[in-house]
Amino acid sequence: MTKKTTQTFAVGTGSVGFFSRRVRTVMTDVAAGALGLIGSQAAPAQAIPGGTVEVVPSMAACGDRGFEKSLQCGAAFTDRWLDSWGASDVVEATVVTRPDAAGVYPSRTTDGVCVYANTAPLAIGLHHCDRYTFVVPRTDRELVSDDVDAIVLLAHESAHGFQEKAGLMPVETSAIRDTRRMLPLERSADCWSGAATAWYIEQDMLDDDAVDGGRELMRSIGGSAGHGNADAREQAYLTGFEGGSGACNTILGRDAFPVRPTR
């Protein structure tokens, strides 16, 4: 696997109760104004957010055949991982944000807001909010360039869905760059992706050396604010790989991730 050099803004940490309802309202208005969306906010109900295209999960797409296919492959793996927990509702869809599309809408999962954008002044790359994992090709194409990378990263993003269901506010904390609150949620998401990798290997869905690809990926994206350096991200990933999802709750400092019974 070629080491990645591109980093994207991965939205994904928060703390319930950190924002008052008034602050959330102001934040929504500010974000919408910045994106030119005042009076025309997207509010998905059953349909995917406006200006996005749903990724069709497909195991048949696996085979390191480029960005689009690897994205389909990663989405299919994530579906199976979540299904194994009976938690398929955590990721309703993985979507690609079209050029010049943007939106701000109230979250159905939390008391916060979701923001996505692929515009000239602003591109919010790979992130998860309210059951949707958003991908922007121009920022994420190199990052999600092969199957293992896509599989590990989409598992990471699904962790933020569990955090939201536990009452946390990942998008809002990232938006204000509260790195102290971001770090445990990002590291626990890295841990969750490690636990997913171990499960994929146990299920013969990935070869044993997939963990090496995951470790290399974590090192290559280390260093962004609130996410931890290369060593920290690799260690969090290995903690999940070796210790399972229970270890991710330990990193987070509260129960958000499901844990399988021990035998």
Side-chain angles (χ1 to χ4, degrees), residues 28 41-44 49 103-108 112-116 129-132 134:
T28 302
Q41 294 181 23
V104 181
Y105 61 90
S107 171
R108 300 163 295 172
V113 298
C114 293
V115 180
Y116 61 97
C129 189
D130 187 32
R131 305 179 224 173
Y132 296 108
F134 294 87

Side-chain angles (χ1 to χ4, degrees), residues 158-200:
S158 74
H160 297 314
F162 283 99
Q163 293 162 1
E164 287 184 318
K165 290 186 72 173
L168 300 167
M169 298 281 187
V171 170
E172 294 181 10
T173 304
S174 281
I176 65 168
R177 312 306 285 169
D178 186 342
T179 56
R180 182 177 64 85
R181 285 182 168 88
M182 285 174 67
L183 189 57
L185 283 114
E186 290 300 335
R187 292 191 68 239
S188 65
D190 290 339
C191 173
W192 178 253
S193 67
T197 303
W199 185 81
Y200 296 140

Side-chain angles (χ1 to χ4, degrees), residues 78 80-91 155 158-166 188-189 191-196 199 240 243-250 252 254-262:
T78 301
R80 294 199 179 185
W81 171 235
L82 297 178
D83 286 346
S84 78
W85 295 103
S88 58
D89 62 327
V90 170
V91 179
S158 74
H160 297 314
F162 283 99
Q163 293 162 1
E164 287 184 318
K165 290 186 72 173
S188 65
C191 173
W192 178 253
S193 67
W199 185 81
S245 59
C248 308
N249 286 326
T250 300
L252 184 58
R254 61 173 293 176
D255 292 338
F257 304 107
V259 180
R260 301 192 197 280
T262 56

